[in-house]
Amino acid sequence: MYPKELKYTKTHEWIRVEGTRGKCGITFYASDQLGDIVFVELPEVGQDVVKGETFGVVESVKAVSDCYAPVSGKVVAVNEMLETQPELINQSTYDEGWIIEVELSDPSELDDLMDAQQYEKHVEEAGHH
Amino acid sequence: MTEARKTPLYGCHEKYGGKIVEFAGWLVSVQFGGILDEHRAVREAAGMFDVSYMGEFFVTGEDSLAFIQKAVTNDMDNMVDGQVRYSPMCNHEGGTVDDLMVYRFSSDRYMLVVNGANVEKDFAWLSRIASEFPRATLTNASDDWAEIALQGPASATILQKLTQTDLKGIRYYYFVPRAEVAGVDCILSRTGYTGEDGFELYCAPGDAVALWDALMEAGQDEGLVPAGLGARDTLRFEACMPLYGQELSENTGPLEAGLGRFVSFTKGEFVGRDALLRMKEQGIPKKLVGFEMLERGIPRTHYTIVRDGTTIGEVTTGSFAPTIGKNLGMGYVTPDTDSVGADIGIMIRGKQLLARTVKMPFYKRRAK
């Protein structure tokens, strides 16, 4: 459910870093909590995102949820497939369900993120509230 | 707040993997397999809902009809035994106390089915009105009844496997006061809140699990699935059936909600009549409209509706409408905007997105 090669935020986003870029999405826990996703609001390519601030919105039938940037940087790509197939987030959470790709402005920010094991523990604790 | 209660079917919510939430003081599932799948199942096959949180009141005695006529806005005078009729129930200002179903068992015995969130309020409200009718007795029997809603085009086929009662003999909005379904005594009613054909079964709490399991098994071949509050809401939304707390409230009455056909000014005195009549004569201050988003965005409850830079109202319910495949909404607007085909704006996260008013209901099942 939580691939080892990814990094995770407390707010349930993931990032897959390759070189100086990272693809981001929301985690299985987040998509499962939301249920069937029916709408995604994407940022513009070229827009700056700031770690911890919202970069987009994911909506399920019942809920509206902000997405928070795991790192700061510039948006270099957005997953336009999600505009017509938002369900890709439920169906292929860590691959076709990616939301944005960011050119990292400060790779050291990655050190603040959780690995899969830490995130799994974080989710377990969240589940008990 | 008191602690949320478990319905008699709580074990079934767990057994079928429901995502359990608190609703109207009860623990019930918002979804089982997923809202979209459940929604589709009800439109194309069948879905089953635990609606045991609904309240059941009984009215008995020779003044039963007179009392009910005083309490609700619709005319119940010409009902026959075994008939069901919907009505708003208004306060003195013409706002809505609740909306409910009236079941006529006989001229001196009726059942009122009210919204789960309003059971206590309604009972107190109705008790005050009942005090004017010494020969009518009102009882709150909500704890004596579990309720299962079996909804969708395959409902009759599934249910007929379990009962000797000829379902062809029960028309829409009629009921059988005592039917045996899978060996369980039920009030069997051809009603629902989804816009589909379907049944609502009222049984003793102790029989509810056996009835649920029997229905589930009988419906396997027809594609019956357990369904939760989420699908119940999207289904009623597409059919533009009002939800108390959203389209109706103490401040919003039946005329604003487009429910004028359920208000009878000719049946005699009833609570709220003067206020409603005044509103009808002087003009209805806001009207419920349906609309379709033309730009990308999902309207949600309380979002602002604008036109030509001015706020004209607020969204009551909005959603992706699964059967229609569009983002739709309902909301109250000033009465000059209620024509179909008007361009309006919905404020979504600070941006004004274009929408257009459309005809309601959004979804209507094809007549057989």
Side-chain angles (χ1 to χ4, degrees):
Chain A
M1 269 188 287
Y2 305 111
K4 292 221 173 358
E5 69 275 20
L6 308 184
K7 294 276 208 173
Y8 300 88
T9 67
K10 283 188 174 158
T11 47
H12 311 292
E13 291 83 15
W14 57 265
I15 181 166
R16 175 185 284 116
V17 180
E18 281 172 8
T20 58
R21 293 183 172 189
K23 273 188 178 166
C24 312
I26 64 168
T27 66
F28 171 79
Y29 175 81
S31 65
D32 187 54
Q33 288 288 308
L34 284 165
D36 293 324
I37 290 164
V38 294
F39 181 83
V40 181
E41 189 175 286
L42 300 164
E44 303 277 330
V45 172
Q47 194 177 312
D48 286 322
V49 293
V50 178
K51 178 176 152 56
E53 294 188 4
T54 61
F55 69 80
V57 178
V58 171
E59 298 192 33
S60 65
V61 181
K62 295 305 291 174
V64 181
S65 180
D66 284 327
C67 305
Y68 299 93
V71 293
S72 306
K74 191 179 284 295
V75 177
V76 292
V78 298
N79 186 359
E80 284 169 4
M81 297 267 282
L82 297 178
E83 293 196 348
T84 49
Q85 293 170 268
E87 65 274 16
L88 286 174
I89 292 178
N90 297 110
Q91 292 164 358
S92 178
T93 308
Y94 302 108
D95 293 302
E96 290 180 83
W98 67 278
I99 301 173
I100 58 169
E101 190 174 15
V102 178
E103 176 81 37
L104 277 63
S105 59
D106 178 5
S108 75
E109 285 177 343
L110 292 169
D111 299 339
D112 303 336
L113 301 177
M114 288 178 275
D115 64 23
Q117 206 180 351
Q118 290 167 318
Y119 179 68
E120 206 156 337
K121 206 170 158 221
H122 172 65
V123 162
E124 269 170 36
E125 283 162 6
H128 288 282
H129 283 298
Chain B
M1 280 298 281
T2 49
E3 207 175 315
R5 298 165 69 190
K6 292 176 179 173
T7 74
L9 288 161
Y10 185 77
C12 297
H13 291 273
E14 288 190 317
K15 182 173 153 193
Y16 289 91
K19 192 172 277 180
I20 296 169
V21 298
E22 190 179 329
F23 172 76
W26 295 90
L27 294 170
V28 283
S29 298
V30 65
Q31 64 170 69
F32 290 87
I35 294 173
L36 296 179
D37 284 346
E38 293 163 28
H39 183 107
R40 193 180 314 115
V42 172
R43 289 277 181 256
E44 293 171 4
M48 197 159 72
F49 304 79
D50 171 17
V51 288
S52 299
Y53 48 79
M54 298 295 283
E56 293 83 14
F57 300 161
F58 283 85
V59 181
T60 53
E62 59 182 292
D63 278 350
S64 295
L65 177 62
F67 159 58
I68 293 167
Q69 289 284 59
K70 180 75 187 283
V72 305
T73 62
N74 202 353
D75 189 0
M76 303 294 164
D77 188 38
N78 55 355
M79 284 174 83
V80 298
D81 293 353
Q83 196 175 357
V84 188
R85 195 164 283 175
Y86 169 81
S87 182
M89 173 165 75
C90 282
N91 57 34
H92 294 284
E93 292 73 41
T96 314
V97 176
D98 202 0
D99 61 337
L100 48 83
M101 306 289 280
V102 177
Y103 285 68
R104 177 175 151 138
F105 286 72
S106 64
S107 63
D108 59 359
R109 184 172 163 78
Y110 291 81
M111 177 171 77
L112 310 179
V113 179
V114 305
N115 282 303
N118 292 337
V119 173
E120 306 299 324
K121 180 185 82 166
D122 288 355
F123 190 67
W125 176 260
L126 283 164
S127 295
R128 275 199 298 276
I129 301 169
S131 65
E132 300 163 32
F133 297 89
R135 286 172 302 179
T137 306
L138 174 74
T139 48
N140 180 359
S142 300
D143 289 346
D144 301 337
W145 296 93
E147 187 188 347
I148 295 171
L150 173 68
Q151 299 282 298
S155 298
T157 308
I158 295 165
L159 192 56
Q160 194 65 79
K161 296 179 191 177
L162 299 174
T163 183
Q164 301 285 328
T165 302
D166 181 14
L167 300 177
K168 284 194 212 76
I170 311 176
R171 285 182 291 154
Y172 198 51
Y173 271 68
Y174 283 81
F175 73 101
V176 172
R178 200 161 171 195
E180 201 177 285
V181 179
V184 171
D185 258 346
C186 297
I187 299 168
L188 177 53
S189 163
R190 197 159 200 160
T191 47
Y193 192 51
T194 58
E196 295 301 328
D197 185 21
F199 297 86
E200 293 177 298
L201 298 90
Y202 302 82
C203 68
D207 291 335
V209 172
L211 182 59
W212 176 279
D213 285 342
L215 285 165
M216 214 61 221
E217 204 186 314
Q220 281 314 299
D221 292 345
E222 280 77 19
L224 173 65
V225 299
L229 291 172
R232 188 168 163 83
D233 192 43
T234 52
L235 288 158
R236 74 91 196 165
F237 169 67
E238 286 185 338
C240 291
M241 291 169 151
L243 173 61
Y244 192 84
Q246 291 183 208
E247 283 73 35
L248 296 171
S249 72
E250 292 281 347
N251 299 316
T252 306
L255 299 183
E256 296 101 303
L259 301 173
R261 66 190 181 282
F262 303 109
V263 178
S264 169
F265 289 110
T266 55
K267 70 166 182 170
E269 174 57 25
F270 62 88
V271 177
R273 185 178 188 275
D274 294 348
L276 292 171
L277 198 57
R278 210 177 311 125
M279 188 187 287
K280 195 184 172 191
E281 285 163 356
Q282 295 176 0
I284 297 163
K286 59 181 181 183
K287 282 192 173 169
L288 191 68
V289 293
F291 61 87
E292 169 189 336
M293 295 303 300
L294 300 182
E295 291 185 283
R296 290 188 75 246
I298 300 178
R300 302 280 183 182
T301 306
H302 299 312
Y303 284 7
T304 299
I305 305 174
V306 297
R307 190 181 200 186
D308 304 327
T310 315
T311 296
I312 57 164
E314 197 177 90
V315 176
T316 53
T317 306
S319 178
F320 171 69
T323 312
I324 294 133
K326 290 177 178 173
N327 295 327
L328 304 176
M330 291 192 278
Y332 282 104
V333 297
T334 47
D336 52 317
T337 321
D338 73 333
S339 66
V340 167
D343 282 346
I344 56 173
I346 309 298
M347 297 304 297
I348 301 183
R349 291 182 282 279
K351 269 186 283 188
Q352 181 181 327
L353 300 181
L354 190 62
R356 183 168 295 158
T357 55
V358 295
K359 234 173 86 184
M360 296 193 285
F362 307 131
Y363 171 85
K364 208 171 182 179
R365 73 172 180 268
R366 276 173 297 179
K368 272 198 220 167

